[in-house]
Amino acid sequence: MDLKTPGLYIHIPFCLSKCLYCDFYSSTSLSALPLFLDALFKEMKMYRSRFNQFDTVYIGGGTPSLLSPQQLEQILTNIRENFDLISNTEITVETNPADLNRSYLESMREIGINRINIGVQSFDQEVLAFLGRRHSLTQAISAIEVSRRTGFHNIGLDLIYGVPGQTIESWLDTLKQAVAFSPEHLSCYQLTFETKTPLGKRCQAGEFSIPGEELQYEFFMKTSQFLIDAGYIHYEVSNFARGTEYTSQHNQKYWDHSPYLGLGPGAHSFQDNQRWWNHRSIDQYITAINAGNLAIEDIETLTIEQLRLEALYLGLRTKKGVYLEDFKNRYDCDLFNEKKKMLDKLQEEGFISIQNGRLYPTSTGLAVADSLSQI
Ligand code: SF4
């Protein structure tokens, strides 16, 4: 993957029902879907002069798999009409297991989608019900099996841990069931309880208690060890791949400060030290685009200090870490000399390693990556 070639993100802000833990903005009414798609295609045209080539495409949401095969095809056709996709472009679509059947998956493959992310979340039916997921365990298993049979060779599963009442053993059982399918990629996220969500409210009302810091740490470390033992690379705080070729090329753009264009409501973009993002509201987005304007809510220009801090923060979330020489060339900062005392301390405490000019987090460091960035 070329660091300079941008990635393209398309945000589909619709879901058929709302999961009980979700605080992302998405609409459960599909009435605006045709107008949204129309606006999305217009937005692509507006960016033609600023972006011309991509080597990754990520269609996320929301729930992109609620789109019909024809709508997905329209999106890919419009992308190709407006931009150049290099050969072997990684094209990922996020999916809900309930939407995946043989004919849908075949259509996805026919239009060039070569990577699917399946939002399985758990192999425990009770956990799925607690989270308010739209799919059942049976549907999750069938979705993975049919995806494989349809010929997908790059399948990612999303899983959630830290559910109230969940034991380390029951979580490891979910992981065992997941690796039995040999997915190429696994994302394991800690459940968070945002105050405005139904689960957040139940939590505030004292209906259940959430795992404390120590238990969360144990979940994290056990997950890492289990998946490493199963042959996966723990390449980012929440992400695991069955070989370097299966790491997410698209997400790597975010961690490397590579350029990316985000289209659709709320989508973020980054290019030439500038970050900008669209209105989150579907109506505001459609109105702006139909008036012939970009749907940008705000733009920020990052200073070199902000870029350095971000690069360090993002680098310390990845196993690859930060190459000190690259960092110096790109951000004009000699980390090794300027932060020597602090780096020595973190190394002594076992959070980071510095070897062959590379600064990277240990597995304990990955578990506390957020605070490591404060150096
Ligand atoms: S499918 Fe994803 S975006 Fe939609 S409600 Fe559930 S967690 Fe939120």
Side-chain angles (χ1 to χ4, degrees), residues 117-133:
N117 237 34
I118 310 178
V120 169
Q121 315 309 355
S122 179
F123 282 93
D124 180 331
Q125 181 57 50
E126 272 182 38
V127 171
L128 290 176
F130 179 84
L131 297 173
R133 292 291 300 181

Side-chain angles (χ1 to χ4, degrees), residues 14-15 17-19 21-24 26 61-63 96 121 133:
F14 299 94
C15 291
S17 64
K18 211 67 195 157
C19 305
Y21 57 92
C22 178
D23 80 330
F24 297 130
S26 63
T63 311
N96 183 299
Q121 315 309 355
R133 292 291 300 181

Side-chain angles (χ1 to χ4, degrees), residues 34-48:
L35 284 176
F36 157 73
L37 287 175
D38 193 46
L40 179 68
F41 304 149
K42 287 181 185 156
E43 194 186 17
M44 288 181 193
K45 280 200 178 68
M46 292 178 186
Y47 276 105
R48 277 165 76 143

Side-chain angles (χ1 to χ4, degrees), residues 219-231:
F219 270 115
F220 183 93
M221 296 306 279
K222 288 270 181 329
T223 305
S224 180
Q225 199 52 57
F226 180 88
L227 291 177
I228 289 170
D229 290 347

Side-chain angles (χ1 to χ4, degrees), residues 91-332:
I91 306 179
T92 308
V93 176
E94 282 181 355
T95 64
N96 183 299
D99 302 329
L100 299 183
N101 55 52
R102 182 147 202 141
S103 86
Y104 192 79
L105 285 155
E106 276 169 358
S107 309
M108 285 172 88
R109 278 196 22 97
E110 274 161 25
I111 59 176
I113 291 157
N114 51 29
R115 184 168 183 268
I116 51 167
N117 237 34
I118 310 178
V120 169
Q121 315 309 355
S122 179
F123 282 93
D124 180 331
Q125 181 57 50
E126 272 182 38
V127 171
L128 290 176
F130 179 84
L131 297 173
R133 292 291 300 181
R134 175 161 66 88
H135 68 275
S136 66
L137 176 57
T138 314
Q139 285 173 314
I141 292 169
S142 157
I144 305 167
E145 287 174 347
V146 180
S147 301
R148 198 55 101 198
R149 279 206 298 275
T150 314
F152 276 96
H153 302 301
N154 200 346
I155 298 175
L157 307 183
D158 287 351
L159 300 170
I160 289 180
Y161 64 86
V163 177
Q166 186 178 44
T167 60
I168 297 285
E169 286 66 36
S170 62
W171 165 241
L172 288 179
D173 188 58
T174 270
L175 284 181
K176 252 179 236 158
Q177 296 197 58
V179 300
F181 294 102
S182 298
E184 282 67 31
H185 195 271
L186 282 158
S187 298
C188 301
Y189 300 107
Q190 182 186 318
L191 179 62
T192 53
F193 294 87
E194 307 302 336
T195 43
K196 286 192 182 130
T197 64
L199 280 189
K201 285 181 188 153
R202 286 179 59 193
C203 180
Q204 279 172 315
E207 275 190 44
F208 48 76
S209 56
I210 55 177
E213 252 178 53
E214 261 180 47
L215 185 54
Q216 290 292 4
Y217 179 76
E218 203 185 338
F219 270 115
F220 183 93
M221 296 306 279
K222 288 270 181 329
T223 305
S224 180
Q225 199 52 57
F226 180 88
L227 291 177
I228 289 170
D229 290 347
Y232 286 81
I233 305 166
H234 189 177
Y235 75 99
E236 197 266 349
V237 172
S238 311
N239 290 293
F240 300 81
R242 198 159 58 79
T244 47
E245 67 274 35
Y246 296 121
T247 59
S248 165
Q249 302 298 299
H250 183 79
N251 286 344
Q252 196 64 48
K253 309 263 180 206
Y254 304 141
W255 304 323
D256 281 341
H257 266 162
S258 297
Y260 50 87
L261 172 65
L263 303 178
H268 282 56
S269 305
F270 179 78
Q271 189 186 42
D272 298 336
N273 304 351
Q274 270 200 338
R275 179 168 292 124
W276 66 96
W277 52 95
N278 282 348
H279 295 295
R280 268 161 55 108
S281 142
I282 299 171
D283 285 347
Q284 254 183 303
Y285 168 81
I286 293 173
T287 306
I289 298 281
N290 284 342
N293 301 315
L294 289 173
I296 296 175
E297 180 181 281
D298 211 351
I299 303 176
E300 82 178 327
T301 303
L302 290 116
T303 63
I304 187 75
E305 284 78 24
Q306 286 172 312
L307 286 168
R308 276 180 201 146
L309 193 69
E310 268 197 17
L312 188 57
Y313 165 73
L314 295 167
L316 287 176
R317 296 179 67 84
T318 64
K319 181 182 162 76
K320 186 172 75 170
V322 173
Y323 286 90
L324 297 169
E325 196 58 31
D326 284 356
F327 197 91
K328 195 169 163 185
N329 294 336
R330 204 164 168 198
Y331 303 105
D332 193 24

